[in-house]
Structures are given as structure tokens and as C-alpha cells.
Amino acid sequence: MEILIATGRLAENTVRKAAGEKADVLVADIDIAAFITPKKLMNACLEAGISNRYDLILLPGLVAGDFSKASEELGCRIRLGPKHAYDLSFVLHFAEEVEFSEKVPACELLADVRKEMALELIRKAEEEAHPPLALRGVKLGGDSRMKVMGEIVGAAEMDPADLEIRIEAFIARGADIIDIGATLNTLPEQVRRTVSLAKALTCVPISIDTLDPELIKEGIAAGADLVLSLNGTNMETAGPVVAGAGVAAVVIPDEGNSLESLVRNIEAARRLGIEKIIADPVLDPIGHNITESIVRYHEFHRRYPEVPLFFGAGNVTELMDVDTIGVNATLCGIGAEAGASILFTPEYSDKARGSIRELKKASEMMQLCRIRESSPKDLGIDLLCIKEKRRRPENPLPEKVIMARASKNWRVDPAGPIRVRIVPDRISGNGGLIVAEHEKTAVAGESAREVMDTLLELELVSRLDHAAYLGRELEKAELALRFNRSYAQDDVF
């Protein structure tokens, strides 16, 4: 395929370096490549004597305009390349495989295409997986994807309306299993009511999380699909009920978390007739023998590869003052190598919010690693949130520059003050609305730009310094929503 890349004078060297021998470069009579128009492209082609030689002309990704007539006259497709010249080498690699767009920059298009391909590969692999255990169609163990269990702490004592919102939110964020948490004060009738409500609200498997035999019995009677947990303290009393109902059970070791006690409890569960067993060697927090516990997982999986494993990622994330996204991804990778089948998180503390989504994405990445026999990079999906996969070229400081300083003058805008706040999406746990409140009206939108544009259109801002201030605050509010943080006007982000 013969490809021509159109650019401006300022980006010429960068474009030529990125294109290499994969494409020719046409420099239009303009400094900034993003301002290329159909007329300027045609003039540049005429001056260069270009006609019917190329199969594809790539424009800078930020170019706007209708190039259909130019495409007809030149006899080739004209499409948008990447937004940044630096990404050309990556984009050109896919030129023969992907039909680029007239409206969507190639870098964004390829990201979507690669993501769709990755998700389809995951879906197909899950469809073809043959696990040793399944709960309501959710496959556990074997070559199936690791599933995410979200615990609703204190669920049995929650108001039904709040519980419904929490269940909906957990499923929207990617939970494959909902765990109903009970406390020391939970009553049997509360467990029965809560499990029944959860079963009525969703088709995903429901587990009851308690060591109390009476609460386990009530949970099973209400239709729980899974019991957390059985060990030497409740095996003889709750075990027969679990076996009689044919539900699955997570078996844990006794105090001390020894591998021997876990194996002993599993053997006891089998003698009672419990067939659907998930083992939990117990992942210990950092600072409390996490390395020893990971070795315990590895050894158990080596001995009993057919038994699905429960991996309590929340034991680590909840007890670390560290952003969870990287921790969850790393734990997920360790879990995959240790044979984990269920990734558990309660999303209990504010700092751990988002863990369900992070573990779900990480589990998909590890599934792709297994399929492709690769490391978790260049998969089409990722957990990069703040840091970049490829940094853009950096420019030096101009020779003549005025060092900026904050103005000490502040005056009230005659149009009136505006209060900025956010309303997060409680269900998805990501995104929401930015709200700008003026005494005359309130404006709400998903982005800082659309809120600011509307404020200006309504003439609610009359001073440049006020507009600049609002722009900063609205952008902070948008970033707060994007990164699932709280926001307070004038606070340092």
C-alpha cells in the first residue's frame, strides 16, 4: 500500500522520523499541521506533482473539514491519522489491516479496534472454558477467567433500598458474584430477608459471608449459591446443611492458617458429602507474612490443581495506604500464577473504591496473557490511569520567557458568584455530573468545557479573571469525577 502523510512545516522532522520508509511525507504551505484545509492539501499535491499514485493520504488527527471532493480529485482515500505525529509509527503498522476513519483520529480508532478484538478473544475463551465448578452459569476454576466477588459489608442489616443500589452498583462495576456480609449482631431473619431480596434483584450468584452456623442455614434456606466459610469451628453443625442443599462452600484453615488444617477441613467437608468446594488458603496482608501466604497458595494449587481457589485481594488493599489500581493488578497477576479462581474485595474503605472494576479489568488482562502466552502489555486493554504508555515529545523552554506570577487583585464578578460541585454516578462508581450554581440558575454537564460554554452562553460570567478561575475549578471537578475522587471548590486537588 502506498501511503502519503500530509503535515505542516513545524512537524515535518517529527513526521519524517516517525514514518521512516513506511510512507512518503507531503509538507503543506502552513506551519501548524492541524490547520490543513482541503484547498491547502490540493495545492500542496499539485505543487508536488502528486496524482493517482497513492492508495491512502493520512491527515493529522486534529484536522477538521470535508475532504471528500479532494479524495475524488486525487483518486485515493483521505483519512485521519493520529493526533500526535509521534504515534505515526504505531498507526502505520495497521494501515493494511484497518480502515481508517474520516472523522475519528487513527490513534483513537485503533485503540477501540484493539480493545474490541481483545474483549472478543476473552469472550470466546470463556465460552470454550471447561471449569470444574460453575455457579448459576458463572464458571470457576480451570481455564476460565478469574471471577470477581464483591462483598457488601453489613448487607444483612442494610435498608432494602440501599442494598438494592449497592447490588446494582457492584454488578455495573463488574462483580461476577455478590457476597452478603453478616456481622456479629446479624439476626437469622435478617439473613433470610437479605439473601431473598438479593436473589430477586439479580441473576448473578449470591454468597452468604459468616461463620455462624445458624446464619449459614438461613442463607441456604433463602437460596444462597455459596457459603463463606467452613472450617473446624462450624463444619459439623453447618456442613450437613451445606451438603444436603448441594450448594458450594469456601473452606478455610483453622486458626494459624496452616496448609495442613486447610487440607484437613477439605477432607472433612468431602466426608460430609459437600461436592462443590472452593479452597481459601488465606492471603495475609503485607507486614503479616504475605510472602508465606502466597507460598501456601502455590503449594496448595500444586497439590490440588482441580480445586478452585479463593483469593482475598481485599485483605491487602484495605490495609495499605496506596492507590489500589496497581496493587490490584499485581495481586491479580500473582493470583493467576497461584491458580486463583475468585478475586475477593469488599470495597469497604474510601481508598479501596474502584477495586471491583480494577480487579475485573486485571482478570481480563491475565486471561489474555494466558491465551497469548505473554506479559500483561500491548493487550488492547490496560489499567493505565495516570501514567502514559508513550510520552509525547517535549519542547525546550523558549529563550525569551516571562515567569508567571499570581495576581494579588481579586474583584467580584458583577454577573454574580458561581459555586462549583460534583454529583458522582453512584451506580457505575465512575463519572457523573459537574454542577455550576448561580443565583439565577444551575448548569450541569459531564465535562468542564460544556459547562463553561453554557455559562458563557447564558452570560453568567462577565470578567476574564472570573472565567479563568472557573475554568480551573471546572477542570478540577472533571478530573475528580474521572478519577473517582471527592471535590471541594478552592481546595488543592
Side-chain angles (χ1 to χ4, degrees), residues 139 164 229 306 427:
K139 299 178 180 180
E164 182 174 354
S229 305
E306 76 286 355
I427 300 301

Side-chain angles (χ1 to χ4, degrees), residues 70-117:
S71 178
E72 291 178 10
E73 292 186 21
L74 294 171
C76 71
R77 291 171 294 144
I78 298 178
R79 300 290 187 265
L80 291 181
K83 291 180 178 180
H84 304 279
Y86 179 81
D87 288 328
L88 274 167
S89 57
F90 166 72
V91 166
L92 289 172
H93 180 73
F94 293 91
E96 303 250 2
E97 305 171 23
V98 176
E99 177 61 35
F100 294 131
S101 169
E102 297 176 355
K103 296 182 179 180
V104 181
C107 50
E108 295 180 5
L109 180 71
L110 284 175
D112 291 340
V113 169
R114 294 186 71 195
K115 180 178 180 180
E116 289 175 8
M117 292 171 62

